[in-house]
Amino acid sequence: MPAGSAPPPDRAEAAGRAPLAAELAFPTPFPIKILGRRSRGFAERVLEIVRAHAPDLADDAVEMRVSREGAYLGVTVVVNARSREQLEALYRDLCDHPDVVTVL
């Protein structure tokens, strides 16, 4: 890489988002908000995905809220993040769920 040039952006930067976990020191508590269509089994499936990546997720680290109109469910979890790779894999799997609208 020529002197003075910046490294290539990662996928998050290329998409106009801040790099995931760029300045975090691991392990650390990391909140994730998942918004999805309120369908039968949505919350259970989301929590299965989260626990596949963060098996130590405590029950009291999960919050759920139904949207004003009742069409969506917000699920907030606080995981004990161990690495950037863990978080990226978790985000990828959550975003692959057909009823997930967004993950923050």
Side-chain angles (χ1 to χ4, degrees), residues 10 12 17-24 26 30 84 87-89 91:
D10 67 11
R17 300 184 310 265
L20 176 64
E23 301 298 323
L24 293 178
F26 296 101
F30 193 86
R84 177 183 175 122
L87 291 175
E88 287 176 345
Y91 270 74

Side-chain angles (χ1 to χ4, degrees), residues 10-91:
D10 67 11
R11 287 183 295 174
E13 290 171 313
R17 300 184 310 265
L20 176 64
E23 301 298 323
L24 293 178
F26 296 101
T28 188
F30 193 86
I32 300 172
K33 295 184 183 215
I34 305 113
L35 178 66
R37 292 174 197 84
R38 190 172 172 215
S39 59
R40 175 178 236 103
F42 173 73
E44 292 82 5
R45 182 63 190 128
V46 163
L47 291 176
E48 286 175 12
I49 293 168
V50 172
R51 285 195 169 103
H53 295 276
D56 57 345
L57 179 70
D59 289 339
D60 64 352
V62 178
E63 233 178 80
M64 295 188 203
R65 180 175 294 167
V66 177
S67 68
R68 189 175 319 151
E69 303 288 323
Y72 297 95
L73 178 66
V75 180
T76 301
V77 297
V78 179
V79 299
N80 182 29
R82 296 180 310 275
S83 69
R84 177 183 175 122
E85 294 77 21
Q86 174 200 25
L87 291 175
E88 287 176 345
L90 175 53
Y91 270 74

